[in-house]
Amino acid sequence: MKKVLEICVDSYDSARAAVAGGADRLELCAALSVGGLTPYQELLADIRSFSDIPVRCLMRPRAGDFLYTRQEISMMARQMEALRQAGASGFVIGCLTPEGELAGMEELMEAAGGLPLTLHRCIDVSRDPVDTYRRAAELGFDTVLTSGAAANATAGMATIARLVALREETGGPEVLIGAGVNARVIEKFRREVPGSRAFHMSGKFSVESGMAFRREGVPMGVPGLDEWHIDQTSRQAVEEAARALAEPL
């Protein structure tokens, strides 16, 4: 499989920057500040107005754990059908059992309509990431996004190396390395973990709000959250990451 640089975006401007910077694929979501939620169908349509880049849509109905109710699963399935009609190239999904095992997800896989599937970072909070990877292969996922069950990919490098070796041994899903990824991290993985070839990042930087009038002390969400700066993808960060991935070893 070829090298992949996937950029996670939650806005039109971030999508444009990612495409201009050389992204191979987008993961589209909403609310990256809480780890990403299901994106808006209208945003996908707007991205499709300027690019035909592959876009995989994250399906996550709320922040928090990955133990979903029947209603949440049904809602995600309906959303997937709508996003598929709007031009989604694939989906990013994942459900766990109360014991931390990977759930079957038959309804979600059926709603994908045969499009490619990424198992998201529920693997990183599952009981056994290696077993979860094997189970994802059995279910038909073509990609597994992981930080190696750590706070970031660098901290999880040993587990990621095990998964990359397992991919090579079994022909299993691509290991998409994410969390804290930038050009330097890509260079490090390519040097130290042979076979590292797929990376996921947001490349965010902070944009100052255009608001001149600012009423302080009235939070719209979690108290203390900075509401006068907006995170967006940096075209430069994407370009640097693309070069780091393209460089011969």
Side-chain angles (χ1 to χ4, degrees), residues 68-81:
Y68 295 122
T69 67
R70 170 51 51 195
Q71 181 276 330
E72 288 172 326
I73 292 171
S74 176
M75 180 178 68
M76 282 191 284
R78 296 194 305 273
Q79 290 171 322
M80 288 171 70
E81 291 167 0

Side-chain angles (χ1 to χ4, degrees), residues 21-37:
D24 298 305
R25 186 170 74 210
L26 302 182
E27 181 193 285
L28 183 62
C29 66
L32 263 175
S33 60
V34 296
L37 301 176

Side-chain angles (χ1 to χ4, degrees), residues 17 65 81 84-85 92 110 153 193-194 211 235 239 246:
D65 64 34
E81 291 167 0
R84 198 176 70 227
Q85 295 302 316
V92 184
E110 182 177 351
V193 182
M211 289 294 295
R235 173 175 176 173
E239 289 174 342

Side-chain angles (χ1 to χ4, degrees), residues 9-226:
V9 301
D10 63 358
S11 71
Y12 180 83
D13 288 342
S14 287
R16 290 201 73 102
V19 171
D24 298 305
R25 186 170 74 210
L26 302 182
E27 181 193 285
L28 183 62
C29 66
L32 263 175
S33 60
V34 296
L37 301 176
T38 301
Y40 301 107
Q41 182 179 343
E42 294 81 2
L43 177 54
L44 175 57
D46 284 348
I47 293 170
R48 282 284 169 254
S49 73
F50 70 83
S51 177
D52 61 358
I53 189 171
V55 178
R56 295 196 183 187
C57 293
L58 173 66
M59 306 310 300
R60 188 174 179 225
R62 54 164 172 77
D65 64 34
F66 303 107
L67 177 62
Y68 295 122
T69 67
R70 170 51 51 195
Q71 181 276 330
E72 288 172 326
I73 292 171
S74 176
M75 180 178 68
M76 282 191 284
R78 296 194 305 273
Q79 290 171 322
M80 288 171 70
E81 291 167 0
L83 287 164
R84 198 176 70 227
Q85 295 302 316
S89 309
F91 294 97
V92 184
I93 63 174
C95 305
L96 296 177
T97 68
E99 295 73 31
E101 309 291 341
L102 192 61
M105 293 174 282
E106 292 84 0
E107 187 173 354
L108 298 183
M109 302 190 82
E110 182 177 351
L115 293 179
L117 292 169
T118 299
L119 178 69
H120 60 46
R121 290 188 60 209
C122 70
I123 186 176
D124 294 323
V125 292
S126 67
R127 182 179 298 274
D128 183 337
V130 173
D131 183 67
T132 299
Y133 177 88
R134 293 183 184 276
R135 176 67 174 142
E138 293 170 358
L139 289 172
F141 286 87
D142 76 345
T143 302
V144 173
L145 169 62
T146 182
S147 66
N152 58 67
T154 302
M157 181 177 282
T159 297
I160 291 172
R162 289 180 65 195
L163 295 177
V164 169
L166 185 58
R167 182 205 69 201
E168 294 290 288
E169 176 188 335
T170 65
E174 183 60 86
V175 178
L176 182 60
I177 301 165
V181 168
N182 55 32
R184 293 183 302 279
V185 171
I186 291 173
E187 291 167 353
K188 180 179 178 66
F189 266 88
R190 294 189 67 213
R191 286 195 308 269
E192 299 183 20
V193 182
S196 298
R197 62 192 183 192
F199 294 89
H200 169 101
M201 59 179 276
S202 60
K204 297 189 300 288
F205 74 111
S206 185
V207 178
E208 180 82 13
S209 168
M211 289 294 295
F213 173 74
R214 302 183 181 189
R215 187 180 302 282
E216 302 295 342
V218 187
M220 295 294 109
V222 178
L225 186 67
D226 182 359

